[in-house]
Amino acid sequence: MATVAQSSRVSKILWPTLAWVIALIFFFPIFWLIFTSFKTDADAVKPEFLFFFTPTLENYTNMTDNYDYWRFAINSVITSSFATLFALIVGVPAAYAMAFDPSRHTKDILMWMLSTKMLPAAAVLYPMTFLTKNFLGIFDTHFLVILVLCLINLPIVIWMLFTYFKEIPKEIIEAGKMDGVSTWGEIKDILIPLAWGGIASTALLTFIFCWNEAYWTVRLTTIDAATLSKLIEGNRAPEGLFFGRLSAVSTAAIAPIVILGWFCQKQLVQGLTFGAVK
């Protein structure tokens, strides 16, 4: 009995400690990024200033004064928001049809959509650049970035929503049909209220993917529609990285998405708790 009690006490200490160690390992790169952003470029590459240095806001003031940070940030907000919105507008009805009115080709379609994520982006980059720049005239526009971000994330959106919708009893949808509810009414009045947590989670994840997308946003933009990824990519020198400035720009780029994620998670948890209590 004493052995069991002692093992239980060890487990209570061991597992939380292990969880904290793993969490700190994953958080360390973010911590070091923020830590380095308060160093000058010269101090950031000197071993003697690895831990002890004079903090400065020079990188942040330089970023806002000389690099037009807010223009890049606004472009990121515009492209990420509209790409997420359009992906949901297409994804919700598509997942609804596949979940509640499947055909014998539904699984094949889902697998085909997933297989598009395996396509190397470089295989279509140059044809797309050639067409959008020379024929369509939409290169370096918000419309092009929004369209590309929407399309590359649409398979994930549909797969996630399909999984959430499959958890809803089909009898609820059939009861709505018997009451004469239209298809749009089923989606608006029945499906979305029941699956709002899954839809919100999908929207948040999609927004994060759009915000962090670098390959397409860097290569399909120059100035007008350039996002924060373009700003980060531009803070490089031929001989290496501008560590201080790059860290400041990266910190400023991840800060909005971290705050948004924390706020949305808090609201989602509160909503679920309220619903459970109610």
Side-chain angles (χ1 to χ4, degrees):
M1 196 70 172
T3 304
V4 175
Q6 184 178 3
S7 176
S8 177
R9 286 195 296 269
V10 171
S11 298
K12 289 182 178 179
I13 297 175
L14 177 62
W15 293 116
T17 303
L18 182 62
W20 273 104
V21 170
I22 294 174
L24 289 174
I25 290 174
F26 277 96
F27 177 74
F28 181 77
I30 299 177
F31 162 76
W32 195 255
L33 180 74
I34 299 173
F35 188 70
T36 307
S37 69
F38 294 103
K39 299 179 182 179
T40 62
D41 288 332
D43 291 347
V45 296
K46 294 179 180 178
E48 59 268 26
F49 296 118
L50 189 63
F51 295 105
F52 302 101
F53 61 95
T54 302
T56 178
L57 294 176
E58 175 185 341
N59 295 319
Y60 290 96
T61 57
N62 181 65
M63 176 185 63
T64 54
D65 294 341
N66 300 327
Y67 289 95
D68 201 5
Y69 166 82
W70 295 111
R71 179 173 62 84
F72 292 97
I74 291 173
N75 285 339
S76 290
V77 171
I78 292 174
T79 55
S80 300
S81 300
F82 280 98
T84 301
L85 177 62
F86 292 150
L88 290 176
I89 290 175
V90 176
V92 170
Y96 162 82
M98 294 180 181
F100 298 108
D101 191 20
S103 68
R104 61 191 181 93
H105 298 296
T106 296
K107 291 184 178 179
D108 297 332
I109 294 173
L110 287 170
M111 289 305 300
W112 171 77
M113 286 191 299
L114 189 61
S115 68
T116 61
K117 300 296 294 181
M118 305 175 190
L119 177 68
V124 294
L125 172 64
Y126 294 106
M128 182 180 294
T129 303
F130 178 78
L131 289 173
T132 56
K133 183 178 291 187
N134 298 319
F135 288 94
L136 301 178
I138 58 174
F139 186 82
D140 192 24
T141 61
H142 290 108
F143 173 78
L144 176 61
V145 178
I146 291 170
L147 180 63
V148 170
L149 293 180
C150 176
L151 292 177
I152 64 177
N153 288 295
L154 192 57
I156 297 176
V157 171
I158 294 178
W159 263 90
M160 289 186 64
L161 293 177
F162 173 79
T163 304
Y164 283 117
F165 293 170
K166 288 290 287 186
E167 298 296 324
I168 299 175
K170 193 174 182 179
E171 291 76 12
I172 298 177
I173 303 298
E174 292 176 348
K177 291 180 179 179
M178 294 178 63
D179 291 338
V181 180
S182 63
T183 302
W184 168 242
E186 292 175 7
I187 296 175
K188 179 174 65 73
D189 299 326
I190 300 176
L191 186 66
I192 292 179
L194 290 176
W196 75 269
I199 295 174
S201 301
T202 303
L204 177 60
L205 185 63
T206 305
F207 186 88
I208 293 173
F209 284 161
C210 294
W211 184 277
N212 291 333
E213 176 60 39
Y215 184 85
W216 290 107
T217 54
V218 168
R219 286 160 178 79
L220 294 179
T221 62
T222 52
I223 298 175
D224 295 337
T227 63
L228 287 171
S229 298
K230 188 78 172 182
L231 177 60
I232 295 172
E233 192 272 341
N235 273 271
R236 295 187 296 116
E239 65 276 7
L241 297 173
F242 288 129
F243 289 106
R245 269 180 278 174
L246 181 68
S247 298
V249 171
S250 301
T251 300
I254 66 172
I257 203 67
V258 170
I259 295 173
L260 176 65
W262 172 82
F263 175 78
C264 291
Q265 182 186 30
K266 183 178 179 181
Q267 296 299 316
L268 183 61
V269 170
Q270 287 180 348
L272 292 174
T273 305
F274 175 76
V277 174
K278 184 177 178 181

